[in-house]
């Protein structure tokens, strides 16, 4: 079993650390945040992510995992160090590599022997080579092993991946990294560094294109009164297309698709290549949000000032507390710009920094006295709400379901306007 240091304890780092501990490896997690390290050592998970708490307890009980603020202690005797720090987006669309650089500097100062450095953070094309140029004192073998962990199901994705991609300049290094995963039943693809970088970006970009495509078809279905749910199902039954990521909705958001798709467009442009399909998918993703706002105007008129709009769901999808690049937040900003007062409710987000948005304590509470309710995130608890009670509490009975999860037949009769994004199923 290997000794593994994990640098960066966000959702990717914690999941990677716990996933490897579950495979029997001995793990030391490092982060610069004292509160994160302290809470993990107390057996608490600082983020909202299914399954991590039980996994932490089990690995801690078996003495397989510990967390430290000391990089030297984390790297002592490590066979591998996994870099899991964020690569957020800079203004202009390229990735900000400050955290990667800082973490690598710490690693370079504290590495003791031939530890294999494995980069897991999403790295723009060519970063591997520039890292090797910058950290010439880092002679240790290096590999890139991109993560394909969805927020909300990250641990399940670690345990049961569709594939494991390992990019390295030499096959021995790639094979050594593959060895850590050997008890996981999954195809393993060993490639070069650049190929692994592009696989990561192209995977996210392809999924983003797929969703933008179904959102465009959903727009057409809505205009022609065709049932998009049946269309999605019918398309997805073709094995060449596949049934995943064909759910129409308010657009893709989160910390990955928006950032990675823009980064890929920027990287391509820098070498004179235009990614027209991806650019169209990005533009289409903005248009979905415009359509939601247009529906709000259709229901309430062109001037939204004095209108009170209730929003159900703030996170970019259910089962996460992440509001980064959330379609909900985007739509709220647009409604506010048109003069609306917005009151939101989310089952897990209990504080937020959008100026002028009040947070209600319950889904029903958000609706009281409102002129329009917009369901933005597919939290299952919204389906359980009582349609009659919700409608009764509103000043005007207008409803937009952007996730298509409310049962149309039981909700419609309580509302003057019930708009289902993509049309009624
Ligand atoms: C995504 C990828 O799915 C992971 O494989 C990848 O590792 C991760 O990014 C990353 O790069 O770190 P995540 O952002 O957590 O994971 O979320 P997804 O489940 O992929 O959803 C992304 C967005 O697409 C959400 O806003 C979701 O609501 C939307 N979506 C997804 C749809 O609108 N329709 C669908 O059918 C599926």
């Amino acid at each position: 079993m290997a000794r593994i240091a994990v640098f960066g304890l966000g959702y990717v780092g914690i999941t990677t650390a716990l996933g490897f501990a579950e495979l029997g490896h001995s793990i030391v997690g490092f982060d610069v945040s004292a509160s994160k390290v302290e809470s993990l050592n107390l057996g608490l998970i600082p983020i909202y992510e299914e399954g991590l708490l039980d996994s932490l307890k089990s690995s801690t009980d078996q003495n397989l995992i510990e967390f430290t603020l000391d990089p030297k202690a984390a790297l002592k005797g490590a066979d591998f160090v996994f870099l899991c720090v964020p690569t957020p987006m800079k203004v202009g669309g390229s990735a900000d590599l400050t955290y990667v650089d800082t973490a690598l500097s710490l690693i370079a100062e504290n590495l003791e022997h031939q530890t294999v450095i494995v980069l897991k953070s999403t790295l723009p094309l060519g970063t591997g080579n520039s890292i090797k140029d910058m950290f010439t004192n880092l002679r240790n073998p290096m590999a890139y092993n991109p993560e394909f962990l969805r927020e909300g199901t990250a641990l399940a994705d670690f345990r049961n991946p569709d594939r494991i991609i390992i990019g390295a300049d030499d096959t021995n290094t790639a094979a050594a990294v593959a060895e850590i995963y050997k008890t996981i039943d999954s195809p393993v693809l060993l490639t070069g560094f650049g190929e692994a970088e592009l696989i990561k970006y192209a995977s996210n970009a392809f999924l983003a294109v797929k969703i933008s495509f179904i959102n465009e078809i959903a727009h057409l279905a809505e205009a022609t009164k065709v049932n998009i749910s049946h269309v999605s199902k019918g398309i997805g039954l073709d094995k060449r297309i596949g049934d995943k990521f064909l759910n129409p909705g308010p657009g893709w958001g989160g910390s990955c698709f928006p950032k990675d798709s823009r980064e890929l467009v920027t990287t391509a442009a820098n070498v004179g290549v235009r990614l027209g399909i991806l650019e169209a998918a990005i533009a289409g993703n903005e248009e979905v949000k415009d359509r939601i706002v247009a529906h709000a105007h259709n229901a309430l008129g062109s001037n939204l000032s004095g209108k009170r709009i209730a929003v159900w769901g703030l996170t970019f999808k259910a089962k996460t507390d992440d509001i980064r690049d959330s379609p909900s937040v985007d739509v709220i900003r647009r409604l506010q710009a048109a003069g609306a007062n917005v009151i939101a409710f989310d089952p897990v987000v209990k504080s937020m920094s959008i100026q002028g948005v009040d947070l209600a304590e319950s889904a029903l509470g958000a609706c009281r006295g409102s002129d329009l309710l917009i369901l933005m995130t597919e939290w299952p608890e919204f389906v359980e709400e009582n349609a009659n009670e919700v409608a009764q509490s509103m000043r005007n009975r207008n409803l937009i379901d952007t996730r298509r999860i409310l049962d149309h037949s039981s909700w419609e009769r309580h509302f003057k306007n019930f708009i289902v994004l993509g049309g009624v199923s």
Side-chain angles (χ1 to χ4, degrees):
M1 288 299 155
R3 182 165 172 81
I4 301 173
V6 175
F7 270 52
L9 299 170
Y11 93 93
V12 172
I14 298 177
T15 307
T16 302
L18 290 172
F20 281 140
E22 286 185 358
L23 300 183
H25 301 299
S26 166
I27 312 299
V28 185
F30 163 83
D31 201 285
V32 290
S33 158
S35 61
K36 255 186 209 172
V37 168
E38 195 179 323
S39 64
L40 286 159
N41 276 330
L42 287 170
L44 303 169
I45 298 287
I47 51 167
Y48 182 92
E49 185 63 50
E50 210 165 87
L52 295 186
L53 200 63
D54 290 344
S55 178
L56 176 61
K57 183 169 180 351
S58 148
S59 294
T60 312
D61 288 351
Q62 297 171 71
N63 283 326
L64 284 171
I65 196 159
E66 58 185 304
F67 302 92
T68 179
L69 283 165
D70 178 355
K72 203 173 189 64
L75 291 165
K76 196 165 190 304
D79 301 306
F80 299 89
V81 52
F82 275 75
L83 200 76
C84 302
V85 295
T87 48
M89 187 165 55
K90 282 198 289 205
V91 179
S94 62
D96 179 352
L97 297 176
T98 315
Y99 296 111
V100 173
D101 290 347
T102 311
L104 277 170
S105 301
L106 270 181
I107 290 171
E109 282 162 26
N110 293 289
L111 261 195
E112 279 179 352
H113 61 136
Q114 286 304 294
T115 310
V116 180
I117 301 166
V118 189
L119 304 159
K120 218 174 218 320
S121 308
T122 300
L123 295 177
L125 210 50
T127 310
N129 285 333
S130 56
I131 285 174
K132 283 174 221 151
D133 292 345
M134 272 169 68
F135 294 90
T136 41
N137 55 335
L138 269 184
R139 302 208 183 282
N140 300 50
M142 212 181 267
Y144 180 45
N145 171 217
E147 55 86 9
F148 300 101
L149 308 172
R150 287 164 299 173
E151 289 185 32
T153 53
L155 192 58
D157 289 343
F158 183 96
R159 289 172 179 156
N160 191 19
D162 285 345
R163 78 298 208 192
I164 293 165
I165 305 291
I166 302 166
D169 290 339
D170 68 282
T171 44
N172 286 348
T173 303
V177 178
E179 184 70 14
I180 329 175
Y181 288 101
K182 72 170 184 227
T183 50
I184 291 186
D185 181 20
S186 153
V188 178
L189 182 67
L190 308 185
T191 73
F193 225 103
E195 288 74 14
E197 288 169 344
L198 190 51
I199 287 168
K200 167 67 196 201
Y201 272 96
S203 300
N204 276 0
F206 188 86
L207 293 170
V209 167
K210 196 171 179 188
I211 301 166
S212 279
F213 179 79
I214 199 66
N215 281 338
E216 193 168 274
I217 298 298
H219 188 199
L220 176 62
E222 187 177 332
T224 52
K225 298 199 172 12
V226 164
N227 185 333
I228 186 64
S229 301
H230 287 179
V231 174
S232 267
K233 193 167 181 193
I235 301 171
L237 283 169
D238 184 328
K239 291 195 182 68
R240 294 169 301 174
I241 297 173
D243 61 353
K244 307 283 189 308
F245 278 64
L246 280 180
N247 288 324
W252 34 269
S255 64
C256 308
F257 287 0
K259 160 178 88 72
D260 294 353
S261 53
R262 288 196 182 95
E263 163 63 39
L264 195 57
V265 166
T266 307
T267 306
N270 289 342
V271 292
V273 174
R274 186 170 165 249
L275 300 182
I277 293 174
L278 187 53
E279 282 177 16
I282 295 169
N285 202 43
E286 295 309 302
E287 283 163 21
V288 191
K289 291 173 256 186
D290 292 340
R291 288 212 300 278
I292 297 168
V293 176
H295 277 309
H297 282 296
N298 286 342
L300 301 178
S302 56
N303 185 358
L304 298 184
S305 63
K307 304 292 184 196
R308 188 178 166 87
I309 300 182
V311 169
W312 278 0
L314 290 164
T315 55
F316 77 98
K317 64 175 182 178
K319 290 170 83 180
T320 175
D321 58 358
D322 199 341
I323 59 165
R324 282 176 288 176
D325 264 313
S326 169
S328 176
V329 174
D330 270 0
V331 166
I332 289 175
R333 289 216 172 93
R334 290 174 203 204
L335 296 170
Q336 284 181 317
N341 295 322
V342 176
I343 176 149
F345 170 75
D346 188 281
V348 299
V349 179
K350 295 300 166 204
S351 69
M352 77 173 317
S353 53
I354 308 185
Q355 237 188 349
V357 175
D358 291 325
L359 286 189
E361 288 189 355
S362 66
L364 188 60
C367 298
R368 270 185 211 115
S370 65
D371 299 293
L372 166 67
L373 164 62
I374 310 183
L375 186 156
M376 288 296 304
T377 314
E378 73 282 24
W379 287 105
E381 33 275 79
F382 295 146
V383 177
E384 305 302 321
E385 290 295 327
N386 181 306
N388 184 36
E389 251 174 37
V390 170
Q392 293 283 353
S393 73
M394 295 174 70
R395 178 163 65 184
N396 284 299
R397 298 173 180 199
N398 296 300
L399 168 60
I400 305 173
D401 178 2
T402 71
R403 295 283 183 170
R404 315 170 48 78
I405 57 170
L406 300 176
D407 176 35
H408 189 257
S409 58
S410 54
W411 280 75
E412 193 205 12
R413 60 197 145 97
H414 300 285
F415 286 83
K416 184 176 85 186
N417 272 314
F418 180 11
I419 298 143
V420 181
L421 197 69
V424 175
S425 292

